[in-house]
Amino acid sequence: MPDVRAKAKELMKGYCRVCPVCDGRACSGEVPGMGGLGTGEAFRSNVRALREVQLNMRLMHDAAEPDTSTSLLGLDLALPVIAAPIGGVSFNMGGGITEAEYVDAILGGCKSRGIIGCTGDGVPPFIVEASFGGLKKVDGYGIPFIKPWESDELDEKFAMAFDSGAKVYGMDVDAAGLITLRKMGRPVAPKTPDQLREIIQKVHDKGGKFILKGVMTVDEAEKAAEVGADAIVVSNHGGRVLDHAPGTAAVLPAIAQAVKGRIGIIVDGGIRDGVDVLKMVALGADAVMIGRPFSVAAVGGTQEGVEAYIDALKAQLTQAMVLTGCKDIAAVGSHILYNNK
Amino acid sequence: MPDVRAKAKELMKGYCRVCPVCDGRACSGEVPGMGGLGTGEAFRSNVRALREVQLNMRLMHDAAEPDTSTSLLGLDLALPVIAAPIGGVSFNMGGGITEAEYVDAILGGCKSRGIIGCTGDGVPPFIVEASFGGLKKVDGYGIPFIKPWESDELDEKFAMAFDSGAKVYGMDVDAAGLITLRKMGRPVAPKTPDQLREIIQKVHDKGGKFILKGVMTVDEAEKAAEVGADAIVVSNHGGRVLDHAPGTAAVLPAIAQAVKGRIGIIVDGGIRDGVDVLKMVALGADAVMIGRPFSVAAVGGTQEGVEAYIDALKAQLTQAMVLTGCKDIAAVGSHILYNNK
Amino acid sequence: MPDVRAKAKELMKGYCRVCPVCDGRACSGEVPGMGGLGTGEAFRSNVRALREVQLNMRLMHDAAEPDTSTSLLGLDLALPVIAAPIGGVSFNMGGGITEAEYVDAILGGCKSRGIIGCTGDGVPPFIVEASFGGLKKVDGYGIPFIKPWESDELDEKFAMAFDSGAKVYGMDVDAAGLITLRKMGRPVAPKTPDQLREIIQKVHDKGGKFILKGVMTVDEAEKAAEVGADAIVVSNHGGRVLDHAPGTAAVLPAIAQAVKGRIGIIVDGGIRDGVDVLKMVALGADAVMIGRPFSVAAVGGTQEGVEAYIDALKAQLTQAMVLTGCKDIAAVGSHILYNNK
Amino acid sequence: MPDVRAKAKELMKGYCRVCPVCDGRACSGEVPGMGGLGTGEAFRSNVRALREVQLNMRLMHDAAEPDTSTSLLGLDLALPVIAAPIGGVSFNMGGGITEAEYVDAILGGCKSRGIIGCTGDGVPPFIVEASFGGLKKVDGYGIPFIKPWESDELDEKFAMAFDSGAKVYGMDVDAAGLITLRKMGRPVAPKTPDQLREIIQKVHDKGGKFILKGVMTVDEAEKAAEVGADAIVVSNHGGRVLDHAPGTAAVLPAIAQAVKGRIGIIVDGGIRDGVDVLKMVALGADAVMIGRPFSVAAVGGTQEGVEAYIDALKAQLTQAMVLTGCKDIAAVGSHILYNNK
């Protein structure tokens, strides 16, 4: 990983500093770029909320060789980790590798290590071309995300997604509110429950599963379950759409308490290593999505970089499961969280 | 805005550093100047109290194109923002532009963008000359603020204000306690409820509305309503009169709970962007006043700078309303505040 | 004051940095010197506890010209401030002025401005020689403090103090525990209630008043009242004897609630300006002692420096009383404290 | 001590910065080395949790010359301090002295000052050779710690320990989870209660006492008592095995409340000076273990360095006992803890 990070630092110069701790302080307001919007508080809140979670260490048990695998949405995952949908390598990351190289690194690296990656959506056509092109190369083993377009673009893009061979589809409704897109004549927008129900029905009609990304409250988590989503992603879009959104680790427990079991719960935001993965599962997630660290790994080392990062995540997660006494993912629960209140 | 800020940085050298985040750390104790009094804690508390407020993100709704307009004190405002009364460009901001240019930039820029600006008061005569002169140029579309003089100066200045064509008048009673003015033979002082009642009556007799600026407690908010003020400004005078006053965002909710609806509630202190505006409205304000950022915009770009700043505020506010599901200002409420207690 | 501080910075080089905010960070562990013991946490806790106290701003009243005077222990004070007992100018402050010059500056400056100063005690004989010599020059208008010696030194020093013309005497029992003194054969030690009762009786027999300095808990405040002390000083000795003692502003309210009215309550620790004085009175003190800032003033400007510092304290206190609506010291109370819990 | 620290800084260059305050910030992630694992949060949490504890200062008593001695596990200790088991001088500390020199410095210095030191275990044979060799030189006056090996290595090492002349034995079960050891074919692992019972029985059969190191929860503390351990060490292994474990000072009170008296309670983590020792005893510990500071003392000054450090600890502890009114270790209790909640 040190080599991958050094290479990324070189290629992402001016876009990402590849800081020792990726916490959103140095890159405040750098959107486009890798930072958080405005003051960057929402990005930093993700990291801070997760850092405030502490773990009970236990060693009087027999969980010497934990099993990190899990399954979700019909997918078997070697560890409860999914690479988040990120597009725009050129304007967000400096273009050190092409959009297609990026997508191939993410999807290929994830597949080879037994997890799965997502692809992004966006305005310049090369983004979805790279996404759908990449998905076909891995026989559809990936999760395409479509932005919440207001116009026919929505149906058109879903049609392209259905054609990619994927089995699971997502929409990052948290991308709505980008009023710059509206001014460019390509409006994205929030979706009403009825609109979502219709979109989800189309996905289900194709035999697919649907993930709604961008849920930050209990009430919308419950609505997501009601309209038929198969999973939600508790996400504030990496702090890039609403300055001063709370950290996802802070809102996750109440959401999990409300909908766990009725709908898959994925969470992203500030997850950097395997201990963070364990924390999020203990807070109620079925799996996590990771964004920026996968970008650094992909830009700095393409598929090998992504694989090295996943290997590190797995080793860290395994060690943390030993030290907290969890023999498998099902055994992870709130009893491993230190309650300092 | 970057050009405006760069120009302001040049012109305000020695008076304001135009920091990336205007938070009162670099300019502690710089009064005169742009800083907070003493240790600067009251200034910093304003920023800190606002930063601690987090917002619930919601995307399952139809508030795709929110309306930011509101009305208050008979004024129709394109967004719930008023430029705060600030005087003394020469000794507080370095004198890069004249007092009259400053007033014209504030009043003109606000008027052209559908909001309204205030004018300040002070000891050298050129301050009120610029204020009342500027008001006449915009046909009285502005809010003159008079300091709480102890002597006849109070009546004289109100007379000048009545002559300016304005419809709404204010007094920044929080300016009292400047004992340096007292030593110069121009004392300002707190006002008893009876004194305020008398002043307000005179304003009402002229058909005007009265704003009392400098209310920081529930008991004084209630007294302000009892003596007939049309609106209060929850303000600690930008942290420039009482070191260690709490942040305005901290005291606002209890004040709003006590007097909302009986009296207009305006708040200032630490508001920098459109998300901060939304937070203050959610905490109970009808509108906000913004000070230092308007000064930077006016000094750095005169009327165009002020307009650019208002445009930015409106865009940020609009996006934040989409992301929190508020279709208009009336729909903003405490349900968008994340409660992390 | 800027000149006084600049001069002090020069003369105290290597002993005190005369920081913009005197908060115990730069000088951690510098004992001897001006710092706090060990990690310096007790010093910093004093500053921090005081900084966390916020004030309610009120302007609807008639306290335009507050009276800052008070009386305590038979002393009429122009403001509720006493210069703390500090000795050892040579080894703690760099010796830029002599011990005698220091004592004269403190006692003379305080007397000329209507407050009172204390003198210190210590091992090299020149300390008490300066103290008692200085007291005689001001006709005993000062408060000599004696360390809690274990041996006959205690009686001998009190005899010298009785001879100085003073009316009020103090003992800084918080100086006990300096085991270095014990190793030098000049042990200081805690005192039992019986021992204190005996010491106090001797002072009372001479018609004097007795101040016990170094009370940090409710139980010892009550014992101090029971054994007949006329006043206590809530003090952790400036953070110089027990690392990790709490801040005095934190422990003061409970102590005041227990013994206010039965015994005079003085407090020191982290008080820097007139707003801090007001806070301490609002938290329950009858008066405050100030240490390090008086040292800087005395070293940097001798008597004139001390006078300038007292003038600044009075101006700040007056302004803060206007802004919080306190017409005199008796009107200061917990209603001016902002409760952010 | 300054000379010892300066020498250590030179010899440990690249491994330990010998910071003014050893708090885990500079060395985050430096494992091997002297740092905390991953982000270093568990290391920092130890220091932070301890720093948050504040002490009640009391001076109205007769504890002028406190007795710091205690006894535990049949050992008479001049102060409640034990040097923690640390191995790997070459790869963790830079190899400025040999493993044997290190062990001799620790065991010899502790013995000469009336306390006791532990020895470590590890993969290269020279570690245990130094440990057991060193123990024999001091006639077994030390506590050998054995890692929780999965294989026969466990029995073999205990046999070597029994042969060393020691009376008390420990196992740092918190070392489990080092999956690197597993990959090297030398797996360590958590232990079930039954496995522990068996190990402890063997120690008891030899007439020895058993310490279980690495207990961080109430439930495991109770299990430790049930399986017959004579003492536990509340420890997160210096933050070197599970990132984001809580500070030991935070978890100690609940553990002490549950098992105090039934089993010896030792604690390590962030203890730097005598005041920290006093805090831990007040929080419920019978004694403390100290790690990194002993390493700095041993590398920087061999046995004399260790002795100088113990002398400093004793002087600081004595002074703090005077200032908190504790005449002996039995008198230390929660009444000296300031409760700022």
Side-chain angles (χ1 to χ4, degrees):
Chain A
M1 284 305 294
D3 292 347
V4 170
R5 291 173 58 84
K7 183 76 177 168
K9 195 161 182 170
E10 188 191 319
L11 291 176
M12 298 175 88
K13 202 175 158 87
Y15 291 81
C16 176
R17 293 154 190 83
V18 188
C19 299
V21 178
C22 173
D23 59 8
R25 287 192 299 174
C27 53
S28 296
E30 297 182 2
V31 180
M34 295 295 279
L37 187 72
T39 66
E41 266 297 304
F43 180 170
R44 286 193 297 276
S45 289
N46 281 341
V47 176
R48 198 160 39 218
L50 203 40
R51 190 170 49 211
E52 283 170 4
V53 175
Q54 296 186 313
L55 295 170
N56 286 324
M57 204 176 98
R58 285 189 179 89
L59 277 312
M60 297 174 69
H61 55 75
D62 61 357
E65 298 183 71
D67 176 4
T68 63
S69 70
T70 191
S71 70
L72 181 71
L73 298 169
L75 302 163
D76 291 322
L77 302 173
L79 56 163
V81 172
I82 297 170
I86 296 185
V89 176
S90 55
F91 48 87
N92 284 324
M93 306 177 207
I97 63 174
T98 67
E99 197 81 21
E101 285 169 334
Y102 182 84
V103 170
D104 293 349
I106 294 288
L107 296 184
C110 287
K111 187 172 184 182
S112 96
R113 285 304 187 265
I115 66 170
I116 193 166
C118 304
T119 61
D121 183 11
V123 162
F126 64 77
I127 292 181
V128 285
E129 285 163 13
S131 295
F132 297 127
L135 280 164
K136 286 177 186 167
K137 289 189 213 164
V138 290
D139 302 317
Y141 193 75
I143 306 175
F145 268 74
I146 308 298
K147 289 219 166 336
W149 306 105
E150 231 180 41
S151 66
D152 293 344
E153 190 165 350
L154 188 73
D155 282 343
E156 290 161 22
K157 289 229 168 125
F158 263 106
M160 291 165 78
F162 292 147
D163 192 44
S164 70
K167 298 274 192 324
V168 182
Y169 307 86
M171 174 181 288
D172 48 336
V173 70
D174 47 2
L178 296 171
I179 54 181
T180 45
L181 287 178
R182 177 173 299 277
K183 286 181 181 164
M184 291 162 69
R186 301 278 291 277
V188 283
K191 296 286 171 243
T192 64
D194 283 346
Q195 289 171 320
L196 285 170
R197 203 183 305 267
E198 193 180 333
I199 294 163
I200 293 167
Q201 191 56 53
K202 286 181 189 166
V203 172
H204 286 173
D205 288 347
K206 290 282 179 182
K209 306 269 190 183
F210 181 85
I211 302 174
L212 183 67
K213 179 164 173 290
V215 172
M216 287 291 288
T217 61
V218 168
D219 54 296
E220 295 214 330
E222 283 173 338
K223 276 185 202 159
E226 285 160 22
V227 299
D230 299 290
I232 54 171
V233 187
V234 176
S235 174
N236 61 25
H237 207 93
R240 290 166 65 86
V241 294
L242 177 64
D243 201 359
H244 302 285
T248 54
V251 304
L252 173 57
I255 290 174
Q257 192 169 6
V259 301
K260 182 98 177 190
R262 289 161 58 197
I263 190 169
I265 301 175
I266 304 168
V267 65
D268 73 6
I271 299 155
R272 300 292 172 259
D273 57 35
V275 183
D276 289 337
V277 174
L278 181 66
K279 286 182 179 185
M280 286 298 201
V281 175
L283 290 167
D286 293 307
V288 307
M289 276 188 183
I290 299 180
R292 290 174 181 96
F294 267 113
S295 296
V296 167
V299 172
T302 62
Q303 179 163 336
E304 288 71 24
V306 170
E307 291 168 352
Y309 178 58
I310 299 170
D311 291 344
L313 284 174
K314 186 170 180 180
Q316 293 153 351
L317 175 59
T318 301
Q319 180 170 349
M321 289 174 73
V322 172
L323 270 295
T324 54
C326 301
K327 61 176 60 177
D328 52 34
I329 295 299
V332 179
S334 62
H335 68 287
I336 71 165
L337 300 173
Y338 174 65
N339 187 342
N340 59 352
K341 298 294 151 53
Chain B
M1 283 306 294
D3 292 348
V4 170
R5 291 173 58 85
K7 183 75 176 169
K9 194 162 184 170
E10 189 190 319
L11 291 175
M12 298 176 86
K13 201 175 159 86
Y15 292 80
C16 176
R17 294 156 189 81
V18 189
C19 300
V21 177
C22 174
D23 59 7
R25 286 192 299 175
C27 53
S28 296
E30 296 181 1
V31 180
M34 296 294 279
L37 187 72
T39 66
E41 266 297 303
F43 180 169
R44 287 193 296 276
S45 288
N46 281 341
V47 175
R48 198 160 41 218
L50 204 39
R51 190 170 50 211
E52 283 169 3
V53 175
Q54 295 186 313
L55 296 169
N56 286 324
M57 204 176 99
R58 285 188 179 88
L59 276 314
M60 296 175 69
H61 56 75
D62 61 358
E65 299 183 70
D67 176 4
T68 62
S69 70
T70 191
S71 70
L72 180 70
L73 298 169
L75 302 164
D76 290 322
L77 302 173
L79 57 163
V81 172
I82 297 170
I86 295 186
V89 176
S90 55
F91 48 86
N92 283 324
M93 306 176 205
I97 64 174
T98 68
E99 196 82 21
E101 286 169 334
Y102 182 85
V103 170
D104 293 348
I106 294 288
L107 295 184
C110 287
K111 188 173 183 181
S112 96
R113 285 305 187 264
I115 66 171
I116 194 166
C118 304
T119 60
D121 183 10
V123 162
F126 64 76
I127 293 181
V128 285
E129 285 162 13
S131 294
F132 296 126
L135 280 164
K136 286 177 184 168
K137 288 188 214 165
V138 291
D139 303 316
Y141 193 75
I143 305 175
F145 269 74
I146 308 297
K147 289 221 167 335
W149 306 106
E150 229 179 42
S151 67
D152 293 343
E153 190 165 349
L154 187 73
D155 282 342
E156 289 160 22
K157 289 229 169 125
F158 262 107
M160 291 165 78
F162 292 148
D163 192 45
S164 70
K167 298 274 194 323
V168 181
Y169 306 86
M171 174 182 287
D172 48 335
V173 71
D174 47 1
L178 295 170
I179 55 180
T180 46
L181 287 177
R182 177 173 300 275
K183 286 181 181 163
M184 292 161 68
R186 301 277 292 276
V188 284
K191 296 286 171 242
T192 63
D194 284 346
Q195 288 171 319
L196 285 170
R197 202 184 305 267
E198 192 180 333
I199 295 164
I200 294 168
Q201 191 56 53
K202 286 181 191 168
V203 171
H204 285 172
D205 289 346
K206 291 282 179 182
K209 306 268 191 183
F210 182 85
I211 302 173
L212 183 67
K213 179 164 173 288
V215 171
M216 288 290 289
T217 61
V218 168
D219 55 296
E220 294 215 330
E222 284 172 338
K223 276 186 203 159
E226 286 160 21
V227 299
D230 300 290
I232 54 172
V233 187
V234 176
S235 173
N236 60 25
H237 207 93
R240 290 166 67 84
V241 292
L242 178 64
D243 201 0
H244 302 285
T248 55
V251 304
L252 174 58
I255 290 174
Q257 191 170 4
V259 300
K260 183 97 177 191
R262 289 162 58 198
I263 191 169
I265 300 175
I266 304 168
V267 66
D268 73 6
I271 299 156
R272 301 292 172 258
D273 57 36
V275 182
D276 289 337
V277 174
L278 181 66
K279 286 181 179 185
M280 285 298 201
V281 175
L283 290 167
D286 293 307
V288 307
M289 276 189 185
I290 300 180
R292 290 174 180 96
F294 267 113
S295 296
V296 168
V299 172
T302 62
Q303 180 164 336
E304 289 72 23
V306 170
E307 291 168 352
Y309 178 58
I310 299 169
D311 291 346
L313 284 174
K314 186 171 178 179
Q316 293 152 351
L317 174 59
T318 301
Q319 180 170 347
M321 289 174 74
V322 173
L323 271 294
T324 54
C326 302
K327 61 176 60 176
D328 52 34
I329 295 298
V332 179
S334 62
H335 67 286
I336 71 166
L337 300 172
Y338 174 65
N339 187 342
N340 59 351
K341 297 296 150 55
Chain C
M1 283 308 292
D3 292 348
V4 171
R5 291 172 59 84
K7 183 75 176 168
K9 196 162 182 170
E10 190 190 317
L11 291 176
M12 298 175 87
K13 201 174 157 87
Y15 292 80
C16 176
R17 293 154 189 82
V18 188
C19 301
V21 178
C22 173
D23 59 8
R25 287 192 298 175
C27 54
S28 296
E30 297 182 1
V31 180
M34 296 294 280
L37 187 72
T39 66
E41 265 298 303
F43 180 170
R44 287 193 297 276
S45 289
N46 280 340
V47 176
R48 198 160 41 218
L50 205 39
R51 191 170 50 212
E52 284 170 4
V53 175
Q54 295 185 314
L55 295 169
N56 286 325
M57 204 176 97
R58 285 189 179 89
L59 277 312
M60 296 175 69
H61 55 76
D62 61 358
E65 299 183 70
D67 176 3
T68 62
S69 71
T70 192
S71 70
L72 181 70
L73 298 169
L75 303 164
D76 291 321
L77 302 173
L79 57 162
V81 171
I82 296 170
I86 296 186
V89 176
S90 54
F91 48 86
N92 283 323
M93 306 176 205
I97 63 173
T98 67
E99 196 82 22
E101 285 170 333
Y102 182 85
V103 170
D104 294 348
I106 294 288
L107 295 184
C110 287
K111 187 172 183 182
S112 95
R113 285 306 188 263
I115 65 171
I116 193 166
C118 303
T119 60
D121 182 11
V123 161
F126 65 76
I127 292 181
V128 284
E129 285 162 14
S131 295
F132 297 126
L135 280 163
K136 286 177 185 167
K137 288 188 214 165
V138 291
D139 302 317
Y141 193 75
I143 306 174
F145 269 74
I146 308 298
K147 289 220 168 335
W149 306 105
E150 228 179 41
S151 66
D152 293 343
E153 190 165 349
L154 188 73
D155 282 342
E156 290 160 21
K157 290 228 170 126
F158 262 106
M160 292 165 77
F162 293 148
D163 192 45
S164 71
K167 298 276 195 319
V168 181
Y169 306 85
M171 176 183 285
D172 48 334
V173 70
D174 47 1
L178 295 171
I179 55 180
T180 46
L181 287 178
R182 177 173 300 276
K183 286 181 181 164
M184 292 162 68
R186 300 277 292 276
V188 284
K191 297 285 171 243
T192 63
D194 284 346
Q195 289 172 319
L196 285 171
R197 201 183 307 265
E198 194 181 331
I199 294 164
I200 294 168
Q201 191 56 51
K202 285 180 191 169
V203 172
H204 286 173
D205 287 347
K206 290 282 178 183
K209 306 268 190 183
F210 182 85
I211 302 173
L212 183 68
K213 179 164 173 287
V215 172
M216 288 290 289
T217 61
V218 168
D219 54 297
E220 294 215 330
E222 285 173 338
K223 275 186 204 161
E226 285 160 21
V227 298
D230 300 290
I232 54 171
V233 187
V234 176
S235 174
N236 60 25
H237 207 93
R240 290 165 66 84
V241 293
L242 178 64
D243 201 1
H244 302 285
T248 55
V251 303
L252 174 58
I255 290 174
Q257 192 170 5
V259 300
K260 183 98 175 191
R262 289 163 56 198
I263 191 169
I265 301 175
I266 304 168
V267 66
D268 73 6
I271 299 156
R272 300 291 172 258
D273 58 35
V275 183
D276 289 337
V277 175
L278 182 65
K279 286 181 178 185
M280 285 299 200
V281 176
L283 290 167
D286 293 307
V288 308
M289 275 188 186
I290 300 180
R292 291 175 180 96
F294 267 113
S295 295
V296 167
V299 173
T302 61
Q303 179 164 337
E304 289 69 26
V306 170
E307 291 168 351
Y309 178 58
I310 298 168
D311 291 345
L313 285 174
K314 187 171 179 179
Q316 293 152 350
L317 174 59
T318 301
Q319 180 169 347
M321 289 174 73
V322 172
L323 271 294
T324 54
C326 300
K327 60 175 62 177
D328 52 33
I329 295 299
V332 179
S334 63
H335 67 286
I336 71 166
L337 300 173
Y338 174 64
N339 187 342
N340 59 352
K341 298 296 151 51
Chain D
M1 284 306 294
D3 292 347
V4 170
R5 291 172 58 85
K7 182 76 178 168
K9 195 162 183 170
E10 190 191 317
L11 291 176
M12 299 175 86
K13 202 174 157 87
Y15 291 79
C16 174
R17 292 154 190 84
V18 189
C19 299
V21 178
C22 173
D23 59 8
R25 287 192 298 175
C27 53
S28 296
E30 297 182 0
V31 180
M34 295 294 280
L37 188 73
T39 66
E41 265 298 303
F43 180 169
R44 286 193 298 276
S45 288
N46 280 341
V47 175
R48 198 159 40 217
L50 204 40
R51 190 170 50 212
E52 283 169 3
V53 175
Q54 295 186 314
L55 295 169
N56 286 324
M57 203 176 99
R58 285 189 180 91
L59 278 311
M60 296 174 70
H61 55 75
D62 61 357
E65 299 182 71
D67 176 4
T68 63
S69 71
T70 192
S71 70
L72 181 70
L73 298 169
L75 303 163
D76 291 322
L77 302 173
L79 57 163
V81 172
I82 297 169
I86 296 185
V89 177
S90 54
F91 48 87
N92 283 324
M93 306 176 206
I97 62 173
T98 67
E99 197 81 22
E101 285 169 333
Y102 182 85
V103 170
D104 293 348
I106 293 288
L107 295 184
C110 286
K111 188 173 183 183
S112 96
R113 286 304 188 263
I115 65 170
I116 193 166
C118 303
T119 60
D121 183 11
V123 161
F126 64 77
I127 291 182
V128 285
E129 284 162 13
S131 295
F132 297 127
L135 280 165
K136 286 176 185 168
K137 287 188 213 166
V138 290
D139 302 316
Y141 194 74
I143 305 174
F145 269 75
I146 308 298
K147 291 221 167 332
W149 307 105
E150 230 178 41
S151 66
D152 293 343
E153 190 165 350
L154 187 72
D155 282 342
E156 290 160 21
K157 289 229 170 126
F158 262 106
M160 290 165 78
F162 292 147
D163 192 44
S164 71
K167 299 274 193 323
V168 182
Y169 306 86
M171 175 182 285
D172 48 335
V173 70
D174 46 2
L178 296 171
I179 54 180
T180 45
L181 287 178
R182 177 174 300 277
K183 285 181 182 164
M184 291 161 69
R186 299 278 291 276
V188 283
K191 296 287 169 243
T192 63
D194 283 347
Q195 288 171 319
L196 285 171
R197 202 184 306 266
E198 193 181 333
I199 294 164
I200 293 168
Q201 191 57 52
K202 285 180 190 167
V203 171
H204 286 172
D205 288 347
K206 291 281 179 181
K209 306 269 190 183
F210 182 85
I211 302 174
L212 183 67
K213 180 164 173 287
V215 172
M216 288 291 289
T217 61
V218 168
D219 54 297
E220 295 215 331
E222 284 173 337
K223 274 186 205 160
E226 286 161 20
V227 299
D230 299 290
I232 54 171
V233 188
V234 176
S235 173
N236 61 24
H237 207 92
R240 291 165 65 85
V241 292
L242 177 64
D243 202 359
H244 302 284
T248 54
V251 303
L252 174 57
I255 290 174
Q257 193 170 4
V259 300
K260 182 97 176 191
R262 288 163 57 198
I263 191 169
I265 301 175
I266 303 167
V267 66
D268 73 6
I271 300 156
R272 300 292 171 258
D273 57 36
V275 183
D276 289 337
V277 174
L278 182 65
K279 287 181 177 184
M280 286 298 201
V281 175
L283 290 167
D286 293 307
V288 307
M289 276 187 185
I290 300 180
R292 291 174 181 97
F294 267 112
S295 296
V296 168
V299 173
T302 61
Q303 180 164 337
E304 288 70 26
V306 170
E307 289 167 352
Y309 178 58
I310 298 169
D311 290 345
L313 285 174
K314 187 172 179 179
Q316 294 152 350
L317 174 59
T318 300
Q319 179 168 348
M321 288 174 74
V322 172
L323 271 293
T324 54
C326 300
K327 60 176 62 179
D328 53 33
I329 296 299
V332 179
S334 62
H335 67 287
I336 71 165
L337 300 173
Y338 174 65
N339 187 341
N340 60 350
K341 297 295 149 52

